[in-house]
C-alpha cells in the first residue's frame, strides 16, 4: 500500500506537469510551505478550527478548482466532506474566503470572479485519491495510486470539458 504522504507527493508533482497550478492544501504531516486552505464554519464564532474543513490539495486550471482529498484506503468521509463543500453555498463562500485570507490566488497571479464560484458549483471539481479500495461516484474524479503509477477514473457525470483538463 502507498502511504498518504506518498500519494500527496506524487500528485503534487504530477498534476502541475498537466498544467494544474498548485494553490494550497493541508499536507499529511502538517509541514509545507504552501498556503493551508482551511474553510471556517461561518456559524462557529469561537476561536480555533472547530467545525472547519481542510482540503488536502487544491489546484486551479482553466477556471476550475480541483479539490482533492487523499487517503491510503478509500474513505467515504472524504466524499461526504467534498459533497458538503461543493453543494452548499455557505461552504463555497468559506472556500473563497479561505483563498483570499491566504492570498493563495494572488500569490499565483490568478484572478477570478468570486461570485461565480460562490453561487455555482459547476467550477469546482471533486476528487479523491487513494491506494486501496474501490469507489464509483458519478461526479468525482478518482486517482488510484500504487507503486507502479497513477490510474485516473472519471465518474459518469464528469463532462468532456473537465476530462480534457487532465
Amino acid at each position: 500500500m502507498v502511504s498518504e504522504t506518498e500519494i500527496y507527493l506524487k500528485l503534487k508533482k504530477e498534476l502541475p506537469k498537466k498544467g494544474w497550478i498548485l494553490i494550497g492544501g493541508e499536507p499529511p504531516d502538517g509541514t509545507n510551505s504552501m498556503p493551508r486552505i482551511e474553510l471556517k464554519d461561518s456559524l462557529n464564532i469561537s476561536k480555533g478550527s472547530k467545525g472547519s474543513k481542510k482540503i488536502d490539495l487544491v489546484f486551479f486550471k482553466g477556471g476550475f478548482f480541483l479539490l482533492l482529498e487523499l487517503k491510503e484506503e478509500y474513505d467515504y468521509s472524504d466524499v461526504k466532506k467534498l459533497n458538503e463543500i461543493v453543494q452548499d453555498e455557505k461552504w463555497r463562500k468559506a472556500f473563497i474566503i479561505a483563498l483570499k485570507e491566504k492570498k493563495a490566488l494572488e500569490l499565483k497571479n490568478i484572478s477570478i470572479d468570486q461570485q461565480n464560484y460562490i453561487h455555482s458549483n459547476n467550477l469546482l471539481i471533486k476528487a479523491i485519491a487513494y491506494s486501496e479500495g474501490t469507489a464509483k461516484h458519478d461526479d468525482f474524479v478518482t486517482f488510484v495510486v500504487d507503486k507502479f503509477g497513477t490510474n485516473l477514473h472519471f465518474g459518469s457525470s464528469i463532462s468532456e470539458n473537465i476530462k480534457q483538463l487532465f
Side-chain angles (χ1 to χ4, degrees), residues 17-121:
K17 290 178 182 176
K18 297 180 186 278
W20 287 95
I21 300 167
L22 179 61
I23 301 298
E26 180 68 19
D29 298 325
T31 57
N32 209 312
S33 60
M34 76 173 134
R36 298 174 92 182
I37 308 301
E38 181 176 356
L39 289 62
K40 297 187 177 154
D41 185 347
S42 60
L43 300 177
N44 180 22
I45 57 172
S46 64
K47 290 185 178 183
S49 296
K50 185 174 181 169
S52 70
K53 296 181 187 303
K54 298 172 187 160
I55 303 169
D56 292 334
L57 283 168
V58 177
F59 290 91
F60 184 82
K61 182 179 180 182
F64 290 90
F65 284 101
L66 177 67
L67 311 180
L68 184 53
E69 283 295 309
L70 319 168
K71 289 279 189 304
E72 287 179 13
E73 295 182 62
Y74 169 75
D75 186 341
Y76 182 74
S77 68
D78 287 335
V79 171
K80 185 177 180 220
K81 175 170 54 171
L82 289 174
N83 280 334
E84 288 173 359
I85 291 169
V86 171
Q87 293 170 0
D88 188 333
E89 186 172 311
K90 168 185 93 167
W91 287 110
R92 291 192 305 267
K93 184 175 182 179
F95 173 66
I96 296 300
I97 290 169
L99 293 174
K100 284 175 62 175
E101 285 176 353
K102 295 293 185 168
K103 299 184 189 303
L105 298 178
E106 190 177 312
L107 291 169
K108 302 291 182 170
N109 295 316
I110 296 170
S111 177
I112 61 167
D113 181 346
Q114 298 170 10
Q115 295 305 311
N116 287 343
Y117 296 88
I118 292 171
H119 297 300
S120 172
N121 64 5

Side-chain angles (χ1 to χ4, degrees), residues 1-15 27-29 57 68 70-73 129-132 143-150:
M1 179 181 338
V2 177
S3 73
E4 183 175 343
T5 300
E6 291 170 306
I7 295 168
Y8 171 86
L9 293 171
K10 186 179 264 299
L11 293 176
K12 184 179 165 191
K13 182 179 177 183
E14 285 182 11
L15 287 168
D29 298 325
L57 283 168
L68 184 53
L70 319 168
K71 289 279 189 304
E72 287 179 13
E73 295 182 62
Y130 54 84
S131 178
E132 289 190 359
F143 298 85
V144 180
V145 181
D146 61 27
K147 61 184 176 185
F148 303 108
T150 303

